[in-house]
Amino acid sequence: MNKLIIANWKMNPLTPHDAKVLYEVEYKGAVGVQGVTTVLCSPTCYLAMLAEEDPPSEQHHVMRGAQNMFWEEEGAYTGETSPVMLTACGVRYVIIGHSERRNYLKETDETIQKKINAALQHNLIPIFCVGETATEKAQGETHAVLERQIRDGLSGIEEIADSETQRRIVVAYEPRWAIGTGTPETAEDTVQVIRFLKTLVSEYSAFSFTFIYGGSLNDENARMYLGESEIEGALVGGASLDAEKFERIIRIASEV
Ligand code: PGA
């Protein structure tokens, strides 16, 4: 089964030189690995530079991704990056609605919905992040929160559906309390949540969905998650900054 392993470098590394080195090493570790598609999501300021590196290709199973984008194509939107610009930099995937952006940048389900729609319209594959907080989990609200995030985030996508291209959406289940904490959700509970998410998206039959897990996944626990057929890949934060660990995760994904 093909697995999708996504590196989310977040706001790292600090120089173009270090970004180039990390990209080159991770690219080499991922290229040609059977049964795995690897996506490297760098900070926006490095995307054009990385486009000059080894051309990523579907064939080699290594693609580039961005960590955010705006929904308009161009104009007076200071500080933003458009889907057209991402495409021009060879980007195929874009993370949308990451909990750090929901939290620190106050992104809402409404702005996330606009971004998902814009990404799909520009043939970018959204990596749509959903997940509950620790309090919401403790109060038994996980399903209600996920349902709201999915319904609001995907609203309007039916209008983009066309019969020629089945557009792809990656849904990353990332419980907020598991991100960067060293305490991941269990694989069993992740499978249960993914089954629930699958029921929620069943009405969008014109789209193909891939369900992945993110939150303190590393080379030591990856096998537990990737060994589950329901978990089709991983969004890797901290461990993606260590090229050796990241390569081990890719190898595990290829073995399971
Ligand atoms: P983490 O981050 O692997 O460092 O927990 C995952 C993410 O935020 O995508």
Side-chain angles (χ1 to χ4, degrees):
M1 183 191 181
N2 201 54
K3 298 277 183 185
L4 179 66
I5 303 297
I6 302 173
N8 177 13
W9 293 353
K10 308 194 181 186
M11 203 167 67
N12 303 286
L14 294 184
T15 66
H17 173 266
D18 289 354
K20 196 169 167 179
V21 171
L22 185 61
Y23 181 82
E24 280 171 0
V25 183
E26 296 199 335
Y27 184 92
K28 278 204 193 87
V31 76
V33 176
Q34 286 308 309
V36 184
T37 298
T38 302
V39 181
L40 302 174
C41 298
S42 77
T44 310
C45 63
Y46 302 138
L47 289 170
M49 173 188 76
L50 297 179
E52 311 281 312
E53 296 293 306
D54 291 340
S57 78
E58 305 253 9
Q59 212 183 350
H60 290 149
H61 312 295
V62 188
M63 314 294 288
R64 262 194 306 278
Q67 299 174 13
N68 177 40
M69 58 161 238
F70 196 59
W71 55 83
E72 296 290 349
E73 289 185 1
E74 64 178 327
Y77 304 103
T78 303
E80 294 298 331
T81 308
S82 97
V84 179
M85 294 169 182
L86 293 185
T87 304
C89 290
V91 165
R92 278 291 284 136
Y93 289 77
V94 55
I95 298 173
I96 294 179
H98 191 281
S99 70
E100 285 151 12
R101 295 194 59 82
R102 291 182 193 254
N103 188 17
Y104 301 119
L105 282 304
K106 304 295 169 235
E107 285 210 12
T108 62
D109 290 325
E110 193 188 348
T111 57
I112 290 164
Q113 183 265 348
K114 288 183 179 176
K115 291 179 182 193
I116 290 174
N117 274 259
L120 291 168
Q121 259 152 357
H122 288 87
N123 277 320
L124 288 159
I125 302 171
I127 303 161
F128 174 23
C129 299
V130 295
E132 80 287 358
T133 63
T135 316
E136 288 162 345
K137 184 178 168 74
Q139 291 172 349
E141 292 168 1
T142 300
H143 281 200
V145 169
L146 294 174
E147 184 161 358
R148 190 202 71 231
Q149 291 174 340
I150 290 281
R151 295 229 188 282
D152 290 357
L154 297 183
S155 112
I157 62 168
E158 306 87 340
E159 282 150 45
I160 300 163
D162 64 55
S163 51
E164 280 156 45
T165 11
Q166 200 188 33
R167 290 195 169 82
R168 283 186 57 201
I169 299 174
V170 177
V171 176
Y173 172 53
E174 294 210 307
R176 281 204 207 182
W177 48 270
I179 295 175
T181 58
T183 312
E185 178 55 284
T186 63
E188 298 74 43
D189 284 358
T190 301
V191 168
Q192 294 307 323
V193 169
I194 287 179
R195 289 199 179 128
F196 173 68
L197 291 171
K198 279 189 181 166
T199 64
L200 293 179
V201 305
S202 58
E203 65 192 80
Y204 306 103
S205 55
F207 295 84
S208 82
F209 288 87
T210 304
F211 293 89
I212 65 174
Y213 170 75
S216 298
L217 184 135
N218 56 40
D219 54 326
E220 284 167 17
N221 62 22
R223 196 175 293 275
M224 271 182 326
Y225 297 85
L226 298 172
E228 298 281 353
S229 60
E230 304 271 4
I231 306 175
E232 297 167 279
L235 183 50
V236 188
S240 75
L241 294 173
D242 180 325
E244 281 180 20
K245 284 187 186 171
F246 189 62
E247 184 175 345
R248 280 201 286 274
I249 296 171
I250 294 170
R251 298 274 155 199
I252 291 166
S254 146
E255 286 160 19
V256 292

